[in-house]
Amino acid sequence: MCGNEAMAESAIQAGLDAYFGYPITPQNEVTAYMSKRMAEEGRAFVQSESELAAVNMVFGASATGKRAMTSSSSPGISLMQEGISYLAGAELPCVIVNVMRGGPGLGNIAPSQGDYFQSVKGGGHGDYHCIVFGPSGVQEFADNTALAFDLADRYRIPVIILADGIIGQMMEPVVIPTNSKLKTQNLKLPKKDWALTGSQGRKQNIVRSLWLAEGAIEQHNYDLQAKYRQIEKNETRCEQYETDDADLIVVAYGISARISRGAVDKARKQGIKAGLIRPITLWPFPSEQISKAADEMLPGAPGFLAVEMSCGQMVEDVRLAVSGKSSVAFWGRPGGGVPTVEQVFDKIKELTV
């Protein structure tokens, strides 16, 4: 299956109740697939009149305790930022998929990773975070989606899946996760006793992000931050490849990580001790793992190389994690430019030879 359709089917298998979206390339397959499959399952599908409408429909559905999601591509996600801030402020669980394209502005429809800042640093107004996944293939795109719904419910938080045009369009063999009920039991998800389900026989629930009483929003922010620290403790995920004796460690996510792994393999064949750290969660970011790798690196080693399809965004988090203990170089291609194994290898060679 192509990544977009595999993700969509995974969401359905994970118990998606309602999908709201507006077409934009390169994620149109999601909307088309959902329009058919959600009807077959007797669930809600709405092609909204805009991305603003879509994200606010997600707010409404999630407030009733339903599993809801939307998807779009870079300019459409920008339009959703106010709604995402509202979702975070109201602590409403949902899944938001961004199949990134080249920017800024309308840009083009080629794959990009230029939306990293927008996703991991908030994007909308206020102090908030979303859990953010960066899948590197079709299988992981599907797996991340199934997990995203459970984590959203567990922590009452929006979860963003930050893919790119290649991950969305490429076709690979995939096993769609169908054991979401078992996963839910393992995660011990809390009951949605906060949901708007009718208040007959019980005290009414109020879902809101507006707190006007003196000090109320300040305390709400402290409570949110405490939750975010728990997420950082429990849900940070990354993959380490050939890092035990590495003199240079590439840090990359998504399709850039797939390409970088090929460059690391090529470097190893030529006697260059290169490795790869691939963040699976972009927030929480694997700062501890990168910091530990910096501690274990030999003095005078070339250090780290961040590879991105952007002008350099994730590299800032790599530098913060390394905290001056080693050098951090950057190589990237923006606006839909896709790096090759040879280009990344040449940069590795430049830094190590």
Side-chain angles (χ1 to χ4, degrees), residues 36-49:
K36 179 181 179 182
R37 286 287 289 118
M38 292 294 278
E40 291 174 348
E41 297 292 328
R43 306 181 200 176
F45 166 87
V46 177
Q47 180 174 310
S48 59
E49 61 269 35

Side-chain angles (χ1 to χ4, degrees), residues 86-162:
Y86 280 27
L87 285 158
E91 296 186 273
L92 288 175
C94 65
V95 175
I96 301 158
V97 177
N98 182 359
V99 183
M100 293 177 283
R101 59 190 263 176
L106 285 175
N108 59 25
I109 61 172
S112 176
Q113 293 180 325
D115 301 354
Y116 179 91
F117 280 156
Q118 182 188 65
S119 297
V120 307
K121 306 300 182 185
H125 53 288
D127 292 318
Y128 75 91
H129 280 290
C130 300
I131 295 173
V132 184
F133 285 99
S136 66
V138 173
Q139 184 65 61
E140 195 170 45
F141 200 6
D143 292 342
N144 286 170
T145 302
L147 179 59
F149 281 101
D150 285 349
L151 292 182
D153 284 347
R154 184 181 191 183
Y155 294 103
R156 288 187 61 184
I157 190 171
V159 179
I160 295 173
I161 303 178
L162 197 61

Side-chain angles (χ1 to χ4, degrees), residues 170-292:
M170 69 191 295
M171 297 186 74
E172 292 186 312
V174 59
V175 177
I176 301 296
T178 56
N179 61 337
S180 58
K181 288 184 179 179
L182 178 61
K183 287 185 179 180
T184 298
Q185 292 169 1
N186 290 341
L187 280 171
K188 298 179 180 178
L189 299 183
K191 292 181 179 179
K192 295 185 178 181
D193 52 10
W194 47 265
L196 307 182
T197 57
S199 60
Q200 186 174 3
R202 64 163 173 80
K203 184 180 177 181
Q204 68 176 358
N205 290 336
I206 301 174
V207 173
R208 59 177 174 172
S209 63
L210 178 67
W211 302 78
L212 296 178
E214 181 70 28
I217 193 65
E218 182 178 8
Q219 185 57 51
H220 184 52
N221 270 278
Y222 290 141
D223 293 342
L224 288 175
Q225 293 301 315
K227 177 170 70 175
Y228 299 152
R229 300 295 83 79
Q230 280 296 113
I231 294 171
E232 287 177 323
K233 178 182 177 181
N234 298 332
E235 308 301 343
T236 303
R237 292 168 166 81
C238 75
E239 177 191 11
Q240 299 193 46
Y241 178 69
E242 298 281 14
T243 57
D244 289 345
D245 65 342
D247 294 325
L248 182 134
I249 295 177
V250 179
V251 184
Y253 72 96
I255 198 65
S256 293
R258 291 268 292 255
I259 295 163
S260 296
R261 185 175 178 131
V264 166
D265 287 340
K266 186 172 182 177
R268 285 278 172 174
K269 288 177 182 177
Q270 297 196 20
I272 299 171
K273 293 181 178 179
L276 173 70
I277 293 180
R278 179 176 72 88
I280 297 171
T281 52
L282 305 179
W283 194 88
F285 190 72
S287 300
E288 249 183 64
Q289 292 86 338
I290 292 172
S291 178
K292 184 180 178 183

